[in-house]
């Protein structure tokens, strides 16, 4: 599972955490803003109190336990030279290791747009490098272009549900 989502929903949905590559990091980990070290720690301990009317954080900002600087989410932002990438690098290495064992993969690309094409580039690399094919599910930008494969101009849930039903019918 290669995802640009940072919300951890794949883990929550039961996917094996060792088989998820979060290319933009995770909102569930914090890091030092400096950063003074590559250390990450769980964001679960952060329970910010917010003045909803004034849209202001009440109380102190979260701090790095090592140097006291402000902590930040371990999410890759634009022009972000302070992102601690070690955790993601490990995920990417595991993903590459798995892909090296796969022949002719079918890449199902879901809802990956053109504005931030990280996921699309990854899908293209996998298809080209491993001789696979692409199923692009996207309601607005489904054209697979020069990639071997098909585009399905529809939403993710309805498409996956339909594919699942067709596969179930074939196996019955
Ligand atoms: Zn620090």
């Amino acid at each position: 599972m290669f995802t640009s989502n940072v919300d951890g929903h794949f883990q929550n949905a039961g996917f094996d955490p060792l088989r998820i590559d979060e290319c933009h990091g995770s909102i569930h980990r914090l890091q030092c803003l400096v950063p003074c070290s590559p250390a990450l720690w769980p964001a679960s301990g952060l329970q910010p109190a917010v003045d909803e009317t004034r849209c202001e954080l009440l109380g102190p900002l979260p701090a790095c336990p090592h140097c006291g600087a402000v902590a930040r989410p371990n999410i890759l932002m634009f022009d972000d030279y302070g992102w601690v990438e070690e955790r993601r690098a490990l995920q990417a290495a595991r993903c590459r290791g798995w892909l090296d064992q796969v022949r002719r993969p079918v890449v199902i690309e879901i809802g990956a747009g053109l504005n931030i094409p990280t996921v699309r580039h990854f899908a293209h690399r996998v298809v080209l490098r491993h001789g696979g094919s692409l199923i692009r599910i996207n309601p607005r930008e489904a054209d697979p272009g020069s990639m071997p494969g098909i585009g399905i101009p529809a939403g993710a849930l309805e498409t996956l549900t339909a594919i699942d039903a067709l596969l179930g019918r074939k196996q019955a």
Side-chain angles (χ1 to χ4, degrees):
M1 180 69 56
F2 180 94
T3 181
S4 61
N5 292 349
V6 298
D7 52 23
H9 284 347
F10 285 112
Q11 288 90 334
N12 291 340
F15 285 84
D16 182 351
L18 295 177
R19 302 187 71 172
I20 299 172
D21 182 357
E22 297 166 297
C23 65
H24 291 162
S26 171
I27 201 166
H28 297 288
R29 297 281 188 290
L30 296 178
Q31 65 162 81
C32 177
L33 182 66
V34 174
C36 68
S37 82
L40 303 182
W41 60 96
S44 54
L46 178 63
Q47 302 293 333
V50 176
D51 181 334
E52 302 282 351
T53 313
R54 300 172 64 187
C55 198
E56 280 182 7
L57 177 71
L58 302 171
L61 292 168
C64 170
H66 307 288
C67 75
V70 174
R72 53 163 277 188
N74 180 230
I75 293 171
L76 178 63
M77 303 186 208
F78 291 104
D79 296 324
D80 189 351
Y81 298 102
W83 184 52
V84 171
E85 60 187 339
E86 276 80 352
R87 175 176 178 270
R88 195 275 153 147
L90 200 61
Q91 291 180 332
R94 278 198 295 263
C95 184
R96 280 194 304 273
W98 177 76
L99 279 169
D100 284 343
Q101 302 168 32
V102 174
R103 295 289 166 264
R104 301 183 61 230
V106 175
V107 177
I108 303 176
E109 180 199 280
I110 301 170
L114 291 164
N115 290 339
I116 304 172
T118 314
V119 172
R120 286 198 169 204
H121 288 165
F122 175 80
H124 288 189
R125 278 200 310 273
V126 170
V127 167
L128 294 174
R129 183 167 178 202
H130 298 273
S133 52
L134 175 68
I135 298 175
R136 171 165 287 151
I137 301 170
N138 192 307
R140 289 178 302 279
E141 300 163 339
D143 184 0
S146 60
M147 288 290 114
I150 60 169
I152 301 175
L157 180 59
E158 64 177 308
T159 306
L160 292 176
T161 302
I163 291 173
D164 190 48
L166 285 170
L167 290 173
R169 207 175 301 150
K170 275 186 182 167
Q171 287 166 1

